[in-house]
Amino acid sequence: MINPLRGMKDLTFEESRRYIHIISTAVNIAKRYGYSYIETPILEETALFKRSVGNSSDIVNKEMYQFEDKGGYDVCMRPEGTAGVARAFISDKLDRQPIKQKFYYHGPMFRYERPQKGRLREFHQFGCESFGEASVYEDFTIITMISQIFDALGIGFDLQINSLGCTVCMPPYKQNLVSFLTDIKEDLCEDCNRRIDTNPIRVLDCKNKTCQLLLSNSQKLIDNLCDECENDFKKLTVLLDQAGIHYTIDTNLVRGLDYYNKTAFEFVSNEIGSQSAIAGGGRYDRLVEFLDGKPTPAVGFAIGIERIMELVKMPETAREGIYLGAMNDDAIEPLLALAARKRLETKVTIEYNAKGFKSHMKGADKAEAKYVALIGEDELKNGTIWIKDIESREEKTVPLETF
RNA sequence: GUGGACGUAGUUCAGUCGGUAGAGCACCAGUUUGUGGCACUGGGUGUCGCGGGUUCGAGCCCCGUCGUCCACCCCA
């Protein structure tokens, strides 16, 4: 027996229904906010992810499905969606147009990690990217949209926000932090020593008690923002307050990808184990120019489908369609033409074996059909078919032609 | 990548001291060839993850491997 690869899963029945429901709910809402669908390749040049997600990130360092293709190109299965969409935005020369562009996408992403609950090697994201809008109103709008999606799916969440600053305020802060950390590096844990180089702000979030003690009076980025970042962040909190969207400010919230700046946010759930982030995103004003496009402000997010799969409240499913069956072998073949006709308008389940009445009723029940239609001895003789509405229990016998 | 737990039927699990595997649910067939979900009767559907080893004999003990889960790391 051949099983799926480690960290990859098949979706069937209940799970695939959930998947579809999540995607269609998100799509419907995204459309109302002016987003249109974009499909980008799963395979991209490795350089794309190195330049966008960032060389220092774990994703690029050790989690990419990277290989040389038969033409000798260094390629990667996409580990996330934003880079590809930004690349497409530039490839299609949309950065040269003064028009704001908004795209939504969904599909598989790949990261070579150790799988666990809520963390697969092939997983799925629904995401949106808004290009060309620098206003913090757009940050607010996008957060509003995500909460609307989660509300529509019946998912409870906590929203965490932070500001990562911009090219004006972030670099000096980071420099100060690194030198501060370097001074005390002897006393910091092993992980933190590694983080000093890769992601110094993460050090502030270390769970090690000794580290926490040493860092208790360290400077927060949020207190060192430039005026513009400071004002935008304040504005965002005011807008969220007015909209009644509850949030907490997490000064240690850092997105794992290098391209983020200013607003960063994460939606988390405490019901799904340690992989608690169900959506994440923020502003990435510099990404387009990193990828050789014209400087274009942008903001986006992605929802982890597998992470919310079991949180979704599914709408009740109604019975649908017709179950067709016969009690004599002679009556089976006439069912085929009937089925073809009925399938122009509804779902039809057809049983190819002649069976007893009760057996058919059970079959109709299992098929979740709304109607059961049977041809027995009498019906065959009279050219009629017997129909019963399984919900209302009303039944009647009609000529085949009027069925 | 590191540490730990686990792996028996479709599924959830039991399996004693080492003696060729069992229960609920699910599933299939039937209970008057005409009224479904309920009930009753019958049916075990299995490479005990895989590969070695110890033993007269392994689901059970040992080693390896693969996989799942949990924590770390990281992230959606």
Side-chain angles (χ1 to χ4, degrees):
Chain A
M1 185 170 54
I2 298 174
N3 286 317
L5 291 171
R6 183 169 216 193
M8 314 213 167
K9 278 176 78 175
D10 303 311
L11 288 184
T12 51
F13 307 114
E14 170 65 10
E15 282 187 314
S16 56
R17 273 200 294 278
R18 282 173 177 273
Y19 185 89
I20 300 271
H21 180 243
I22 291 167
I23 298 296
S24 62
T25 302
V27 165
N28 283 336
I29 292 172
K31 281 180 178 167
R32 292 183 218 154
Y33 284 76
Y35 287 80
S36 67
Y37 184 63
I38 185 169
E39 172 89 24
T40 69
I42 287 167
L43 216 52
E44 296 270 8
E45 247 182 76
T46 299
L48 170 63
F49 301 111
K50 290 198 168 167
R51 277 163 67 181
S52 58
V53 176
N55 249 320
S56 67
S57 74
D58 273 14
I59 292 175
V60 164
N61 265 332
K62 45 186 196 190
E63 295 174 4
M64 290 212 291
Y65 274 87
Q66 179 182 7
F67 58 94
E68 190 178 290
D69 73 6
K70 290 183 179 180
Y73 291 94
D74 186 3
V75 297
C76 263
M77 314 263 277
R78 63 184 184 193
E80 57 95 46
T82 301
V85 174
R87 198 229 74 235
F89 175 79
I90 299 159
S91 299
D92 292 351
K93 313 237 192 283
L94 300 176
D95 55 327
R96 317 268 179 104
Q97 294 182 12
I99 305 168
K100 289 159 190 167
Q101 301 283 355
K102 300 179 181 194
F103 297 110
Y104 73 85
Y105 63 88
H106 53 87
M109 309 292 161
F110 301 84
R111 293 183 197 172
Y112 196 87
E113 301 181 84
R114 184 122 166 209
Q116 57 181 258
K117 198 180 195 71
R119 191 169 73 185
L120 296 163
R121 287 184 174 181
E122 182 187 23
F123 61 102
H124 298 78
Q125 290 186 334
F126 172 89
C128 286
E129 314 294 350
S130 167
F131 293 99
E133 183 55 80
S135 167
V136 70
Y137 293 154
E138 187 72 344
D139 307 22
F140 164 73
T141 301
I142 223 163
I143 289 173
T144 306
M145 177 168 85
I146 302 165
S147 17
Q148 194 179 336
I149 291 172
F150 285 146
D151 286 347
L153 292 170
I155 295 172
F157 59 82
D158 292 319
L159 169 61
Q160 300 175 345
I161 59 170
N162 191 21
S163 176
L164 304 179
C166 63
T167 47
V168 174
C169 48
M170 172 58 120
Y173 169 78
K174 201 165 172 177
Q175 210 169 357
N176 283 339
L177 182 63
V178 170
S179 64
F180 169 72
L181 294 174
T182 309
D183 288 345
I184 57 167
K185 75 190 282 186
E186 310 268 293
D187 301 318
L188 292 170
C189 72
E190 206 177 307
D191 281 337
C192 284
N193 270 283
R194 188 172 41 76
R195 290 184 184 115
I196 292 174
D197 298 322
T198 56
N199 205 339
I201 293 167
R202 272 263 182 251
V203 177
L204 302 176
D205 206 15
C206 185
K207 288 165 191 90
N208 186 303
K209 279 182 189 139
T210 331
C211 296
Q212 275 309 316
L213 213 64
L214 289 164
L215 298 164
S216 54
N217 56 355
S218 60
Q219 289 281 307
K220 305 284 186 202
L221 171 58
I222 203 91
D223 301 319
N224 290 276
L225 295 173
C226 63
D227 287 349
E228 189 192 316
C229 288
E230 166 97 35
N231 287 336
D232 278 351
F233 190 65
K234 242 185 210 136
K235 187 85 195 168
L236 178 63
T237 61
V238 170
L239 290 168
L240 289 171
D241 285 338
Q242 284 171 355
I245 297 174
H246 184 259
Y247 61 87
T248 53
I249 297 174
D250 179 355
T251 55
N252 295 332
L253 173 66
V254 189
R255 314 264 56 238
L257 296 71
D258 284 2
Y259 51 65
Y260 285 108
N261 69 324
K262 286 188 148 180
T263 306
F265 56 85
E266 205 160 273
F267 286 72
V268 298
S269 165
N270 53 18
E271 297 173 51
I272 54 170
S274 66
Q275 309 304 317
S276 59
I278 54 177
R283 184 159 276 286
Y284 50 94
D285 294 332
R286 306 259 294 157
L287 177 59
V288 173
E289 56 181 300
F290 283 168
L291 297 175
D292 306 324
K294 261 180 68 180
T296 306
V299 54
F301 73 92
I303 295 174
I305 308 296
E306 282 83 357
R307 295 258 171 102
I308 60 171
M309 204 75 120
E310 50 199 63
L311 301 175
V312 175
K313 308 260 187 315
M314 290 292 284
E316 291 197 12
T317 51
R319 288 183 166 276
E320 185 197 355
I322 306 167
Y323 172 99
L324 280 180
M327 284 139 91
N328 302 63
D329 285 334
D330 292 346
I332 298 284
E333 288 190 13
L335 294 180
L336 297 172
L338 283 182
R341 204 171 82 214
K342 281 301 178 186
R343 279 182 174 135
L344 297 175
E345 50 190 80
T346 188
K347 173 183 165 185
V348 175
T349 305
I350 177 166
E351 171 56 55
Y352 298 139
N353 293 307
K355 285 184 175 180
F357 184 85
K358 262 195 172 164
S359 192
H360 278 309
M361 290 305 286
K362 283 185 186 173
D365 221 21
K366 201 160 302 173
E368 303 224 291
K370 178 156 167 46
Y371 299 97
V372 53
L374 301 178
I375 299 181
E377 219 163 281
D378 297 343
E379 290 80 9
L380 190 59
K381 201 161 43 185
N382 302 329
T384 55
I385 188 164
W386 172 87
I387 307 157
K388 176 167 184 168
D389 183 322
I390 293 180
E391 283 166 336
S392 70
R393 299 179 180 233
E394 282 169 47
E395 50 192 280
K396 58 185 175 180
T397 302
V398 301
L400 280 176
E401 308 83 65
T402 63
F403 174 61

